[in-house]
Amino acid sequence: MRPSNRAPEAMRPVSLERGVARYAEGSCLVKFGETHVLCAASIEDKAPGWLRGQGRGWVTAEYAMLPRATHQRTRREVTSGKPSGRTQEIQRLIGRSLRAVVDLKALGERQITVDCDVLQADGGTRTASITGAWVALHDCLQWMKARDMLKGEALKDHVAAISCGIYKGAPVADLDYAEDSSCETDANFVLTGSGGIVEVQGTAEGAPFSEEELLALLKLAKDGCASLVELQKLAVA
Amino acid sequence: MRPSNRAPEAMRPVSLERGVARYAEGSCLVKFGETHVLCAASIEDKAPGWLRGQGRGWVTAEYAMLPRATHQRTRREVTSGKPSGRTQEIQRLIGRSLRAVVDLKALGERQITVDCDVLQADGGTRTASITGAWVALHDCLQWMKARDMLKGEALKDHVAAISCGIYKGAPVADLDYAEDSSCETDANFVLTGSGGIVEVQGTAEGAPFSEEELLALLKLAKDGCASLVELQKLAVA
Amino acid sequence: MRPSNRAPEAMRPVSLERGVARYAEGSCLVKFGETHVLCAASIEDKAPGWLRGQGRGWVTAEYAMLPRATHQRTRREVTSGKPSGRTQEIQRLIGRSLRAVVDLKALGERQITVDCDVLQADGGTRTASITGAWVALHDCLQWMKARDMLKGEALKDHVAAISCGIYKGAPVADLDYAEDSSCETDANFVLTGSGGIVEVQGTAEGAPFSEEELLALLKLAKDGCASLVELQKLAVA
Amino acid sequence: MRPSNRAPEAMRPVSLERGVARYAEGSCLVKFGETHVLCAASIEDKAPGWLRGQGRGWVTAEYAMLPRATHQRTRREVTSGKPSGRTQEIQRLIGRSLRAVVDLKALGERQITVDCDVLQADGGTRTASITGAWVALHDCLQWMKARDMLKGEALKDHVAAISCGIYKGAPVADLDYAEDSSCETDANFVLTGSGGIVEVQGTAEGAPFSEEELLALLKLAKDGCASLVELQKLAVA
Amino acid sequence: MRPSNRAPEAMRPVSLERGVARYAEGSCLVKFGETHVLCAASIEDKAPGWLRGQGRGWVTAEYAMLPRATHQRTRREVTSGKPSGRTQEIQRLIGRSLRAVVDLKALGERQITVDCDVLQADGGTRTASITGAWVALHDCLQWMKARDMLKGEALKDHVAAISCGIYKGAPVADLDYAEDSSCETDANFVLTGSGGIVEVQGTAEGAPFSEEELLALLKLAKDGCASLVELQKLAVA
Amino acid sequence: MRPSNRAPEAMRPVSLERGVARYAEGSCLVKFGETHVLCAASIEDKAPGWLRGQGRGWVTAEYAMLPRATHQRTRREVTSGKPSGRTQEIQRLIGRSLRAVVDLKALGERQITVDCDVLQADGGTRTASITGAWVALHDCLQWMKARDMLKGEALKDHVAAISCGIYKGAPVADLDYAEDSSCETDANFVLTGSGGIVEVQGTAEGAPFSEEELLALLKLAKDGCASLVELQKLAVA
């Protein structure tokens, strides 16, 4: 039995609200239940230094949590002078996930940064971030298209993400904090709209897991991401 | 004529929404027009080190802006390794303002931190922060009172803040970004519910200003803060 | 009764000694009683990056205290890796104050940095710094004028500063450390030679203060700064 | 055809040399072809702060590369003041992998740190590190057992790791640098001696990959790790 | 011919002015010609952490230059976040030199920090610092003795320092900046009052030097330090 | 009697193994007994910024120890955010020593960095580093010569280093850790192949030392460095 009484394959209620950041070129407030992330896309009119002169652009992401997004207040990372290892892992993951569905040549020598700021955290902040960041990125690219800034179609596909895990011996979808902090295995999946795998990150928190368990989690993730992609389509329609 | 067509003494629409941060002991989303700040109060069960053993508590504040709160994206402060001078000035100001209306002995050896995170910025983020932080602090103290954690009445008065300025030669209240970036004189006032001055910070951006101008700005501030205090009363009623 | 037995409006003995830093383009050792600050102005032949190509210059300031300027030794800020919030507030204030009386276009694309290093601290280090920094800046501009580096008159007016406060219920001028650490209200005023207000920063340390008290402090400040400006005139004569 | 002419399932020559760090409680120089990592295990007689008083110990890892381990010299991380995101990801991965096969209660309140320093890098430094770190950890635990420092059997299983990928459309095992920098999909697998999965990290560098491809890579990884475990057994025999 | 027209063995005018820092337990403004260093000794009532419980104290030093001590303004080290290698070398040298003549057991578990802040720099700042720091330390120990804080005689001898060098082929004493920046060999000597060598640091800036040259420089240093010790005796008499 | 039973003038067994870093332009694993340092030379095709446009190159060095090179594990310097004072002293010394025997004009506007990473430490790491770094530098210059990158002969002489000390009253050569940590005086000498002195750094750890003792140590150093230079000649033959 899950703490939330959800069925093993049931996700939390998901909402994707566009246009929440007045000044950003694209934005989305994504909610996976009590996990809320504000995603905002910004264009910069030059590519990062290591990419200059190659006629291509770049998409990157930054991630942070408000100090009181969590049950207990956490210190701001600026007070320790640097992003934590966890933060860096997450923002690299979001960036890779978005780049997997963007044609960087179409951007020209520009960079899009998608900021994912967690207003409230109840597990699954990185997967909610990826799912919402896609919407912010979509709107940013629409904004650019409307100004003739793109060379051809920049957005190749949807991308969405979900965390699944083995909780009390059973594979379940969309872990919330209560599950995440006590599950045996935790796996994040990033999938495209056409069902391809962009990223799999599975970790045994207790005992190692088996190939069968990995496949069961992948099955849940495919169904979950398909639903998320449907919601993205509705949101940007 | 003000860019927003407001009368000289007219503030922007103000709203104070309580309870927006699910896990915080007190919280408030404050809006001064298009300036939106999420204020969240957190209790920590020990006083800061330099205060230990004195039987008193402390109230402090931290302040930050989301990168895309602004018209142009700003870099996260964590990437430069430390809060900017401006950030430090503002969070010290918010902390002093709140402490001016709290009986620190009533807290016992505990610290309350009020995080003020600017979701959207259109001028006046520090004055909105102070005004909203008072509501978050109020609710946090109510939460403590309900658990018998306070020794007597901790909250002595309201505190609210407003920025006024000389814009095109005329004193105006509650500067928005368009005014703030081109006014001749900018002054922040922090006042209590009973009308006492907690803080005055007036700066000539261009030509020096006169005693008469200072008094005209103070007059606007008194009226504005009185309105803000009324809104605080409604919010916590 | 003030700890120093001074009359309420009496400042400490002030001295302004020019030319104390052999290699600087302008310098002044300013003493407000036992508060001693070494001010040295340096020219750099390029404007800061954000100002390039605009045909204007910049004036900025840096501030620090020797570790044993104070009654108890304080740690060097380099050991914590960054200037404290207090240091940043003060150096921003000094810079703004100086810029209020300089025609930045006359400098050309150059930057003048005035370093204010506190050799001994007995309260009022920021106001002494501003008062002495004006002399260093004056001499630096004279040095430039002698070398035909200025386009027209760069220095528009004097600027001086004083801290006043409510001490044991009475408004007094030029707080020393004993007063500063126990006064009810502390206000710093930066005024020009012609009596205009460049900056007012008033803070209630205990109970809030009233409009009348603010005006009484402003009155003291006007008289005090007028005296300081006379001393500046004598110093550079 | 692989750049090294290896068969798709063929690993590079692997060697595990124990006892190479004279002063460490356990050490191993691991070579996967031209990738060489020096692993050294150190005991500290107290657990990390957040674990104190729980009667358990901890195993952690640190990872770094010598500046000229690589084809082009890379800057030391100390010159940028902090470990890069990549370094932090890797050392967290090594630590998790080792903890998956250790009974932390058997350690008592002690911490073992395994330092993995890459002397030469030709791809697969993290998987070589995990494989070699197990040997260093094994010897460290033997050292402790010989001194009666363990409560029961601390080492529950072997753990080894391998990177596999889709290179020119074909699944191949143990990517070297030439393959790693141009493959379509890159996946790191950490497996136990009994074949359980501790960690899967698969990333599409170009096009997304399919479930079938994931399974093909897992098959290669199982065979590869089984060989590595055999080599570990020989090494510590 | 030396730029200053001094004879090869002639030092610059040296002065040692005690009691210049009102709040320090001991202080000295030392001048070697145009090199001026303010030395201030501070007592802290606990030993550094690594020395606790051993019944001994510690003497340490910190060193810095005001930004405009030099011909060209130098950046404050706090802006780069850490003391430079040069600064650290110098403060370690001053600390070692002072400890060579102090009985650390006599201090009890206390630390004395001598801050050496260069107000003006014309070569030889480290040797002037050591020579002046001894006077500050002496007065600090007297202050402690007057309060019965010492166990027996803490100060065992004088210590002084001088830089000598090979300038245009000839050995000369007490290099000033003009010599220091163009000499062939530069050597700093720290000697005790009884003539023992505490530290020798000789560096060939151009061609290597010979044993004979090293001995010639040592001869100059012995004579110079003997004079400095005489001046110290006069200063503290 | 020395702990190692060596005769006073006897060095530890020394070996110099070239070509150990596959990708470096020159490399050497140097062993002074149980002290092992990996030296690797890297060419960068531009001079440091402050040297640009002068037609000269630069040689610099970096130094670090693996955490478990030592008897007790030491923290990585990256975790404290900056190299320690000791590290900076050592890398500056290595760089100066190498530059003393290089014609920087022959390099053109290029920089050679020699990384000295201590794999195992038993005293004398800086002197071993200098001695091995010369070999790495030699091979790097050969590599450049073979590619016609040098203007004339770049390497003017050998350079080698040794630490000598007064141990239990007697002068001894090539201190190991046991001697280094308890000797009365410790002196590092850097000498050229032709016997010139590049650097002398002598420090009294306990009582000051005399001129006679300094000369005895220099005698030992001259003999020791002569042997080291012979080994360098054999190594690069």
Side-chain angles (χ1 to χ4, degrees), chain F:
Chain F
M1 186 70 85
R2 307 178 69 174
S4 59
N5 288 319
R6 282 186 277 152
E9 72 284 1
M11 300 187 63
R12 292 172 286 180
V14 173
S15 76
L16 296 164
E17 182 185 356
R18 293 160 76 192
V20 293
R22 183 182 183 84
Y23 307 119
E25 283 78 33
S27 65
C28 177
L29 175 61
V30 55
K31 299 184 180 177
F32 279 25
E34 293 296 342
T35 291
H36 305 173
V37 186
L38 181 53
C39 307
S42 301
I43 303 171
E44 194 182 0
D45 258 334
K46 58 180 179 185
W50 52 270
L51 200 65
R52 301 259 165 85
Q54 301 189 25
R56 288 188 299 142
W58 194 245
V59 176
T60 188
E62 296 193 4
Y63 168 95
M65 287 211 287
L66 297 198
R68 199 54 198 277
T70 43
H71 289 72
Q72 301 299 318
R73 185 177 186 270
T74 49
R75 285 180 69 204
R76 285 177 197 270
E77 299 201 328
V78 72
T79 62
S80 71
K82 58 190 176 196
S84 69
R86 178 185 174 276
T87 290
Q88 292 189 57
E89 265 187 55
I90 293 175
Q91 55 196 15
R92 284 153 57 96
L93 172 64
I94 302 171
R96 279 200 309 272
S97 299
L98 296 175
R99 287 192 299 275
V101 295
V102 172
D103 177 359
L104 296 172
K105 289 199 199 94
L107 299 182
E109 295 214 353
R110 293 190 186 89
Q111 172 163 290
I112 299 175
T113 301
V114 184
D115 288 290
C116 299
D117 287 90
V118 179
L119 305 185
Q120 198 169 282
D122 185 38
T125 62
R126 78 186 72 188
T127 52
S129 293
I130 291 167
T131 306
W134 183 88
V135 176
L137 177 63
H138 170 276
D139 285 5
C140 178
L141 292 170
Q142 288 294 108
W143 188 96
M144 293 170 78
K145 183 184 282 183
R147 283 156 186 78
D148 266 335
M149 294 166 74
L150 297 178
K151 308 176 194 160
E153 191 56 53
L155 196 59
K156 300 186 294 185
D157 201 345
H158 285 252
V159 70
I162 190 169
S163 76
C164 302
I166 310 290
Y167 178 74
K168 300 199 175 171
V172 297
D174 188 28
L175 303 175
D176 57 29
Y177 178 74
E179 293 168 329
D180 192 36
S181 53
S182 64
C183 66
E184 294 101 55
T185 290
D186 172 16
N188 292 295
F189 296 88
V190 183
L191 303 181
T192 62
S194 48
I197 307 173
V198 171
E199 190 99 18
V200 181
Q201 295 188 336
T203 301
E205 303 290 343
F209 56 99
S210 66
E211 183 171 338
E212 292 66 39
E213 288 172 317
L214 178 61
L215 290 175
L217 296 176
L218 177 54
K219 173 74 173 64
L220 287 172
K222 283 185 167 180
D223 294 346
C225 284
S227 305
L228 291 170
V229 166
E230 287 311 304
L231 290 170
Q232 289 176 336
K233 285 179 182 166
L234 286 172
V236 303

Side-chain angles (χ1 to χ4, degrees), chain E residues 5 19 34 40 63 70 86 97 111 121 123 127 138 149 161 173 183 204 209 218:
Chain E
N5 289 319
E34 295 294 343
Y63 168 96
T70 44
R86 178 185 173 275
S97 300
Q111 174 164 288
T127 52
H138 171 275
M149 294 165 74
C183 67
F209 55 101
L218 177 55

Side-chain angles (χ1 to χ4, degrees), chain C residues 174-212:
Chain C
D174 188 28
L175 304 174
D176 57 28
Y177 179 75
E179 294 168 328
D180 193 35
S181 52
S182 64
C183 67
E184 295 99 55
T185 289
D186 173 15
N188 292 296
F189 296 89
V190 183
L191 304 181
T192 62
S194 49
I197 307 172
V198 171
E199 190 99 17
V200 182
Q201 294 188 337
T203 300
E205 303 290 342
F209 56 99
S210 66
E211 183 170 338
E212 293 65 40

Side-chain angles (χ1 to χ4, degrees), chain D residues 180-232:
Chain D
D180 191 37
S181 54
S182 65
C183 67
E184 295 101 55
T185 290
D186 174 15
N188 292 295
F189 296 89
V190 182
L191 303 181
T192 61
S194 48
I197 306 172
V198 171
E199 190 100 18
V200 181
Q201 295 188 336
T203 300
E205 303 291 340
F209 55 98
S210 65
E211 183 171 337
E212 291 67 39
E213 288 173 316
L214 178 61
L215 289 175
L217 296 176
L218 178 54
K219 173 73 172 63
L220 287 172
K222 283 185 166 180
D223 292 347
C225 283
S227 305
L228 291 170
V229 167
E230 287 311 304
L231 289 169
Q232 288 175 336

Side-chain angles (χ1 to χ4, degrees), chain A residues 11-136:
Chain A
M11 300 187 63
R12 292 171 288 181
V14 172
S15 75
L16 297 163
E17 183 185 355
R18 292 161 76 193
V20 293
R22 185 183 181 83
Y23 307 119
E25 283 77 33
S27 65
C28 176
L29 176 60
V30 54
K31 299 185 182 177
F32 279 26
E34 294 296 342
T35 290
H36 304 173
V37 186
L38 181 52
C39 307
S42 301
I43 304 172
E44 194 183 359
D45 257 335
K46 58 180 179 186
W50 52 270
L51 201 66
R52 300 261 166 83
Q54 302 189 22
R56 287 186 302 143
W58 193 244
V59 176
T60 187
E62 295 193 4
Y63 168 96
M65 287 210 287
L66 296 198
R68 199 54 197 276
T70 43
H71 290 72
Q72 303 297 319
R73 185 177 186 271
T74 47
R75 287 179 69 203
R76 285 177 197 271
E77 298 201 328
V78 73
T79 61
S80 70
K82 59 190 175 194
S84 69
R86 178 185 173 275
T87 290
Q88 293 190 56
E89 266 188 54
I90 293 175
Q91 56 197 16
R92 284 153 57 97
L93 172 64
I94 302 171
R96 279 200 308 272
S97 299
L98 297 175
R99 286 192 299 275
V101 295
V102 172
D103 176 0
L104 297 172
K105 290 199 199 94
L107 300 181
E109 295 215 352
R110 294 190 186 89
Q111 173 163 291
I112 299 174
T113 301
V114 185
D115 287 290
C116 299
D117 286 90
V118 179
L119 305 184
Q120 197 169 282
D122 186 37
T125 62
R126 79 188 70 189
T127 52
S129 293
I130 291 168
T131 306
W134 183 88
V135 176

Side-chain angles (χ1 to χ4, degrees), chain D residues 4-142:
Chain D
S4 59
N5 287 320
R6 281 187 278 152
E9 72 284 3
M11 299 187 64
R12 292 172 286 181
V14 173
S15 75
L16 297 164
E17 182 185 355
R18 293 161 75 192
V20 293
R22 183 183 182 85
Y23 306 120
E25 282 78 33
S27 66
C28 176
L29 175 60
V30 54
K31 299 185 180 177
F32 279 26
E34 294 296 340
T35 290
H36 304 174
V37 186
L38 181 53
C39 308
S42 301
I43 303 172
E44 194 182 0
D45 258 334
K46 59 181 178 186
W50 51 270
L51 200 65
R52 301 259 165 84
Q54 302 188 24
R56 287 187 301 143
W58 194 244
V59 176
T60 188
E62 297 194 3
Y63 168 96
M65 287 210 288
L66 295 199
R68 200 52 198 278
T70 44
H71 290 72
Q72 302 298 318
R73 184 177 186 270
T74 48
R75 287 179 67 203
R76 283 177 200 270
E77 298 202 327
V78 72
T79 62
S80 70
K82 59 190 175 197
S84 70
R86 178 185 173 276
T87 290
Q88 293 190 56
E89 265 188 54
I90 293 175
Q91 56 198 15
R92 285 153 57 95
L93 172 64
I94 302 171
R96 280 200 307 273
S97 300
L98 296 176
R99 286 192 298 275
V101 295
V102 172
D103 177 0
L104 296 172
K105 290 201 199 92
L107 299 182
E109 296 215 353
R110 294 192 185 88
Q111 174 164 289
I112 299 175
T113 301
V114 184
D115 287 289
C116 299
D117 286 90
V118 180
L119 304 186
Q120 197 169 283
D122 186 37
T125 62
R126 79 187 71 186
T127 51
S129 293
I130 291 167
T131 306
W134 183 88
V135 176
L137 176 64
H138 170 277
D139 285 4
C140 178
L141 292 170
Q142 290 293 109

